[in-house]
Amino acid sequence: MSKNQKYCVMLALLAGAAPAAVVAQDQAQDAPPADVSASVAMPAAELTEGPEVKGIISARSGDRMQVTAADGSKSVITINDQTKISASKGLFGLGRDHLAATSLLNGLPVTVKTLQAGEGLVASKIALQGKDMKTASMISNGTAQRFDEQTAATEALRGRMGEIDQYNVKGTTNVNFDTGKAVLSAQAKNDLCAAATSADGMSNALLLVVGYTDSTGGEELNQELSEKRAARVVNYLQQACGWKPYRMLTPTGMAEADPLASNDTIEGKAQNRRVAVNILVSKAVDGI
């Protein structure tokens, strides 16, 4: 069986299985399950070399990711500021050693070097192959994420914000754009940093960024423009507002879907040319 066929089989198993809870993989079979309800934060002196984990990313939740190996075993691994994410030459046409955590898409094959912190694992280095990114990008749009609280985020990525039932939407900030443009205004920049500051004060908050357009232009052009606007907002949130990449869900563009107002008027179109920054907190941890 080829490597690609193995990945297809693994993904099919992921789509058909919905475990009731995620447990961290440990080197010893009889070790107790790891608590994945919070990030691992251990003093450097208590970190020891952990196992190398190979598999496919099957879920993301805040600063954690779940990796499913070829034998079906699952490891929950924490990502922090010291985690090095690198890709072989070919990712976006470049060889890059410092990728953002948003590059870690569902369905992406990875090799993770870890540090052991008690019963938890912390990623010291995550390596991925550039050639896998295109496939992973397509998979991430259709593969269910297997952390229970991520189900709602998957629905949100499809534009159905009103159907979120496992997240509390703590706030939404809309920033607007000129026709055909993806340039942030001074007001938009202020609003984005204000939203990041608000979210930073909430425990376990994540940001979901979704870009939109009005009805001007063709379908392909609007899809590209909505993605470009979302990417511009993500970059500003991370670079200027200090928002951590691992606390952000994968951004998406929805073109002219889900308009806020009618596209039959100039005023309505102006409202629809936007990027929505949604602050999400899992109901499982909200208020704790």
Side-chain angles (χ1 to χ4, degrees):
M1 182 180 290
S2 69
K3 186 176 180 180
N4 288 336
Q5 287 174 321
K6 288 182 180 178
Y7 288 154
C8 291
V9 171
M10 290 168 65
L11 291 171
L13 291 174
L14 291 175
V22 176
V23 296
Q25 181 183 20
D26 196 275
Q27 289 176 291
Q29 290 183 346
D30 57 353
D35 179 8
V36 298
S37 61
S39 302
V40 177
M42 303 291 289
E46 298 184 35
L47 296 176
T48 59
E49 185 176 354
E52 182 176 83
V53 179
K54 293 184 179 181
I56 289 178
I57 297 174
S58 51
R60 286 293 309 277
S61 180
D63 59 355
R64 295 170 294 146
M65 69 176 179
Q66 176 181 266
V67 177
T68 300
D71 62 1
S73 61
K74 298 177 177 63
S75 301
V76 175
I77 304 170
T78 298
I79 306 162
N80 61 25
D81 288 336
Q82 285 70 50
T83 301
K84 181 179 179 181
I85 305 172
S86 63
S88 64
K89 187 171 183 179
L91 176 59
F92 309 124
L94 298 171
R96 299 177 62 182
D97 290 329
H98 301 286
L99 298 174
T102 50
S103 303
L104 302 175
L105 303 173
N106 276 359
L108 182 65
V110 292
T111 299
V112 186
K113 291 187 176 180
T114 69
L115 298 172
Q116 192 87 39
E119 295 180 353
L121 297 177
V122 179
S124 60
K125 182 176 180 180
I126 303 173
L128 52 97
Q129 298 293 319
K131 62 183 178 62
D132 293 321
M133 286 299 296
K134 183 176 181 180
T135 301
S137 296
M138 293 185 291
I139 292 171
S140 69
N141 291 327
T143 300
Q145 302 190 41
R146 296 304 181 191
F147 284 101
D148 289 343
E149 68 267 30
Q150 284 292 85
T151 302
T154 302
E155 295 304 305
L157 287 172
R158 294 171 182 164
R160 297 195 291 268
M161 292 299 296
E163 294 180 13
I164 292 179
D165 59 358
Q166 295 186 40
Y167 269 102
N168 287 329
V169 182
K170 309 298 286 187
T172 299
T173 297
N174 289 306
V175 295
N176 299 102
F177 296 83
D178 291 334
T179 302
K181 303 294 184 181
V183 178
L184 291 169
S185 65
Q187 182 63 53
K189 292 177 179 179
N190 290 335
D191 291 345
L192 289 175
C193 285
T197 299
S198 177
D200 197 42
M202 303 178 194
S203 178
N204 296 296
L206 301 174
L207 293 185
L208 172 65
V209 176
V210 186
Y212 299 93
T213 69
D214 60 23
S215 59
T216 304
E219 181 178 346
E220 291 186 8
L221 179 63
N222 282 339
Q223 180 61 38
E224 181 179 351
L225 181 58
S226 66
E227 293 173 358
K228 186 175 181 180
R229 287 171 174 168
R232 185 64 54 87
V233 166
V234 168
N235 288 341
Y236 193 81
L237 284 168
Q238 294 176 3
Q239 296 169 9
C241 305
W243 189 256
K244 300 298 185 184
Y246 54 79
R247 294 182 65 190
M248 181 170 289
L249 297 174
T250 303
T252 190
M254 295 300 297
E256 59 184 273
D258 302 322
L260 286 181
S262 172
N263 278 305
D264 294 332
T265 66
I266 295 176
E267 293 78 10
K269 286 184 175 181
Q271 293 183 57
N272 295 333
R273 296 191 299 268
R274 72 194 191 281
V275 167
V277 179
N278 304 282
I279 303 174
L280 305 182
V281 176
S282 171
K283 290 182 178 179
V285 297
D286 194 15
I288 297 178

